[in-house]
Amino acid sequence: MVETTYTVTGMTCQHCVKSVTEEVGEVRGVTAVSVDLPTGAVTVTSESEPDLAAVRAAVEEAGYQLATT
């Protein structure tokens, strides 16, 4: 298992957390998603290194932005 942490901007409430968790959780190979609302940290557990483009697309589908790292 691989854990990768991203920073997502624009989340302000538990609805935001739920939306991001659901969308990122649908990315192929992702087995778990944990969101820390105060910091915007989204930790993704997956079978292998997740596809950044797919994670970015999922975050955008939820209505938020992946911070540039």
Side-chain angles (χ1 to χ4, degrees):
M1 289 293 172
V2 176
E3 269 194 7
T4 309
T5 301
Y6 303 94
T7 301
V8 174
T9 60
M11 296 186 297
T12 59
C13 64
Q14 288 304 312
H15 174 75
C16 304
V17 170
K18 183 178 178 192
S19 295
V20 169
T21 300
E22 287 178 359
E23 292 295 337
V24 174
E26 292 179 4
V27 172
R28 185 179 190 156
V30 171
T31 57
V33 178
S34 175
V35 178
D36 182 56
L37 181 58
T39 64
V42 176
T43 302
V44 176
T45 304
S46 55
E47 298 167 354
S48 60
E49 190 70 31
D51 178 13
L52 178 59
V55 173
R56 183 180 305 278
V59 169
E60 290 176 358
E61 179 67 23
Y64 307 97
Q65 296 291 318
L66 203 62
T68 304
T69 55

